[in-house]
Amino acid sequence: MKSLTRSLRILEAVAQHQPVTVGELTKIFGLPKSTVQRTLVTLNEAGWLRANRRDTTRWEVGARVLAVRPAALQGSSLFAAAREPMFRLRDTLNETIHLTVPDALHGVVVVDRVDCDHTVRTFHAIGDISPLHATATGHAVLAHLPKSEVDELTAGALEGFGQETITDPAELRAELRRVRDRGYAVNHNQYRPGVCAIAAPVLDEDGTPLASVAVSMPDSRFDPGRLAELGRLVTDTAADITARHLG
Amino acid sequence: MKSLTRSLRILEAVAQHQPVTVGELTKIFGLPKSTVQRTLVTLNEAGWLRANRRDTTRWEVGARVLAVRPAALQGSSLFAAAREPMFRLRDTLNETIHLTVPDALHGVVVVDRVDCDHTVRTFHAIGDISPLHATATGHAVLAHLPKSEVDELTAGALEGFGQETITDPAELRAELRRVRDRGYAVNHNQYRPGVCAIAAPVLDEDGTPLASVAVSMPDSRFDPGRLAELGRLVTDTAADITARHLG
DNA sequence: CATCACGTGCCACATTGTGGAACGCCATGC
DNA sequence: GCATGGCGTTCCACAATGTGGCACGTGATG
């Protein structure tokens, strides 16, 4: 299904670069103009794209894509349930709060975010994907998956992103055990240098991890002495979200 | 581009019915199993779909689709700017607040929602699409579009959804003028019976409508005597969002 | 006024996707 | 324990489908 794959790539590129012209896209992909053009027109007819209001030769993603939502966010969703608890946690700590959902492609996707008002703050855009093995949110999810799945997800080489990344499977398993015992995961420079995050999972009735909430802050504001307190707050927030979601 | 169109339809159907099986989709579309199957596998490889964790013959939308976000919600977005004002309005009124964005296909899409805590409340899922001509959110947007565009968008027959729907173009234009003068739009049973909504637009620097905020409530809780007050609150909220978004 | 860059439309061709048929698996029931 | 039926998956010959080179229209530039 070559053309479908290509069309989806084009759609993603439009999302990234919007508003974007046919010419720019041909440069990105090295495809003939007519091919790109035809794809854009079709995507437009299907309602996924639309021409920019001011410059009608520029294309952007239409709001209709919002109708296509991930399963975890469907209905009386997790997403809605998470908002108030996230706001509350942000107000308590004045640090950025993220909600992430595990994705098939060995990563967690940022689904929602509540910002703090510090000038120096961490930034992850909604839709960003981070590796499972090198983030607090990833660990929080992994810790509650059956061993078989963890093994599968961490089968390949664990990519290192710096000194602190856990690249040894055995070490990762030990860390996950610690996360399970403690109730929350901690990431100190494992993925992005200078970023510290504390995350707790939101679990389904039967214990499958649906999502995780995390507070993340620059290294400079992280006080290891307050870890237990932060951990408790994040865990409580996750519990609150779970209660609202299931209740 | 027949096959692309069809594949996108399948993707949308998966989103609507998730988690869904190949067989169910063949019934919905009347397509051969193999065609549906191949499409699902390709969408899966592209990261848009994934097999359900529990029942691997059921397909659902993967979180990765979130990377494809509409232009209006990009970056330091409207979406983020709208959250706190929406919460505040909800806390003031204890009624459900919606944020909607106009879409190319003659509708407004619900982008965000903050719920009230009444047992009886209005419900519109995130991603839902409603007609421009029969909703307060739609009117709020239409009222600030150039005449040519309004004409274009309302060119076809205006579908009626009940007694109150404005189906006459001239009458709609008059109503839009009123909306512009007053600053907010009111919908009383025009679209969904028993639902009343008051909406105000969020405008760009140059006056193009980007979105609209609305408070919506069941008929039973709507007091016409408080309309002016509600209108002012909604308008203020929209102004607040605009200020945060542009600032 | 010539040139260029860019978006758009056309159409013969072969690459691409199609869908009927067959396979394998599991649950059901005789 | 074996036949049955339903369902997801795989295969492959065929032709319908999408491809992309080419040419046109237009608006900007020098």
Side-chain angles (χ1 to χ4, degrees):
Chain A
M1 216 91 160
K2 200 170 152 188
S3 85
L4 212 203
T5 311
R6 190 162 63 195
S7 301
L8 292 173
R9 288 251 172 73
I10 292 179
L11 177 56
E12 284 174 29
V14 173
Q16 264 175 53
H17 301 280
Q18 58 187 321
V20 70
T21 65
V22 178
E24 285 158 8
L25 288 169
T26 58
K27 269 168 211 151
I28 294 171
F29 290 101
L31 289 169
K33 270 193 298 184
S34 47
T35 304
V36 174
Q37 164 76 1
R38 211 160 0 93
T39 305
L40 291 177
V41 169
T42 310
L43 287 169
N44 175 52
E45 281 164 3
W48 290 73
L49 298 182
R50 63 173 179 207
N52 186 283
R53 204 176 284 284
R54 290 164 208 182
D55 178 352
T56 49
T57 68
R58 294 193 164 266
W59 297 87
E60 55 190 31
V61 175
R64 221 158 106 71
V65 302
L66 293 173
V68 178
R69 315 210 85 215
L73 305 179
Q74 212 59 0
S76 76
S77 76
L78 188 68
F79 183 77
R83 318 198 66 184
E84 305 226 29
M86 286 174 71
F87 266 80
R88 223 169 273 166
L89 184 57
R90 192 277 314 268
D91 290 341
T92 309
L93 295 173
N94 192 25
E95 294 293 353
T96 304
I97 314 299
H98 290 107
L99 181 71
T100 65
V101 164
D103 178 55
L105 301 175
H106 307 198
V108 287
V109 182
V110 178
V111 160
D112 201 8
R113 189 184 76 220
V114 180
D115 289 314
C116 63
D117 65 13
H118 293 291
T119 311
V120 178
R121 51 173 107 155
T122 60
F123 181 75
H124 298 280
I126 290 175
D128 272 5
I129 304 179
S130 316
L132 281 168
H133 73 280
T135 55
T137 44
H139 288 176
V141 165
L142 277 180
H144 294 269
L145 285 175
K147 267 167 216 131
S148 59
E149 254 186 278
V150 177
D151 289 345
E152 195 186 322
L153 288 169
T154 58
L158 301 176
E159 192 183 351
F161 302 94
Q163 294 292 333
E164 301 300 325
T165 315
I166 300 174
T167 51
D168 174 40
E171 205 184 319
L172 180 60
R173 274 196 296 277
E175 172 65 17
L176 294 181
R177 207 167 309 123
R178 227 169 299 140
V179 170
R180 222 172 300 127
D181 293 344
R182 202 164 46 185
Y184 58 90
V186 182
N187 169 5
H188 207 155
N189 298 325
Q190 288 181 24
Y191 181 44
R192 301 290 183 215
V195 176
C196 179
I198 294 140
V202 177
L203 305 174
D204 210 350
E205 291 100 331
D206 53 0
T208 16
L210 291 174
S212 57
V213 226
V215 53
S216 63
M217 63 202 99
D219 216 2
S220 55
R221 274 203 302 278
F222 175 60
D223 171 7
R226 288 183 62 202
L227 182 56
E229 181 202 343
L230 292 174
R232 193 178 43 75
L233 285 169
V234 175
T235 313
D236 288 353
T237 305
D240 190 6
I241 295 172
T242 307
R244 286 163 185 255
H245 180 58
L246 300 179
Chain B
M1 215 88 159
K2 201 170 152 189
S3 85
L4 212 202
T5 310
R6 192 162 62 195
S7 301
L8 292 173
R9 289 250 173 73
I10 292 178
L11 177 56
E12 283 175 30
V14 172
Q16 263 176 54
H17 301 281
Q18 60 187 319
V20 70
T21 64
V22 177
E24 284 159 10
L25 288 169
T26 59
K27 267 167 212 153
I28 294 171
F29 290 101
L31 288 169
K33 271 192 299 181
S34 48
T35 303
V36 174
Q37 164 77 1
R38 214 163 354 96
T39 306
L40 291 178
V41 169
T42 311
L43 287 169
N44 175 53
E45 282 163 3
W48 290 72
L49 297 183
R50 66 174 176 203
N52 185 280
R53 203 177 283 286
R54 292 167 206 180
D55 178 352
T56 49
T57 68
R58 293 192 164 268
W59 297 88
E60 55 190 31
V61 175
R64 221 157 104 69
V65 301
L66 292 171
V68 179
R69 312 209 82 215
L73 304 179
Q74 212 61 358
S76 78
S77 75
L78 189 70
F79 184 76
R83 318 192 71 182
E84 305 228 27
M86 286 173 71
F87 268 80
R88 221 170 274 164
L89 185 57
R90 192 276 314 265
D91 290 341
T92 309
L93 296 173
N94 193 24
E95 292 294 353
T96 304
I97 314 301
H98 290 107
L99 181 70
T100 65
V101 163
D103 178 54
L105 299 174
H106 308 199
V108 287
V109 182
V110 177
V111 160
D112 202 7
R113 188 184 78 221
V114 180
D115 289 315
C116 64
D117 65 12
H118 291 291
T119 311
V120 177
R121 51 174 105 156
T122 60
F123 181 75
H124 298 279
I126 291 175
D128 272 6
I129 303 177
S130 315
L132 281 167
H133 73 279
T135 55
T137 45
H139 287 176
V141 165
L142 277 179
H144 295 268
L145 284 175
K147 266 167 216 132
S148 59
E149 256 185 277
V150 176
D151 289 345
E152 195 184 321
L153 288 169
T154 58
L158 299 176
E159 191 184 351
F161 301 95
Q163 294 292 332
E164 301 300 327
T165 315
I166 300 175
T167 49
D168 174 40
E171 204 184 320
L172 180 60
R173 275 194 296 276
E175 172 65 16
L176 294 181
R177 205 168 311 122
R178 228 170 298 140
V179 169
R180 222 173 300 128
D181 293 343
R182 201 166 45 184
Y184 59 89
V186 182
N187 169 3
H188 208 153
N189 299 324
Q190 288 181 23
Y191 182 44
R192 301 290 183 213
V195 175
C196 178
I198 294 140
V202 176
L203 304 175
D204 209 349
E205 292 98 332
D206 54 358
T208 18
L210 292 175
S212 55
V213 226
V215 54
S216 63
M217 65 202 98
D219 216 2
S220 54
R221 276 203 299 279
F222 175 62
D223 170 7
R226 289 183 60 202
L227 182 56
E229 181 202 344
L230 292 173
R232 191 177 43 76
L233 285 169
V234 174
T235 313
D236 288 352
T237 305
D240 189 6
I241 296 172
T242 307
R244 286 162 186 255
H245 179 59
L246 300 180

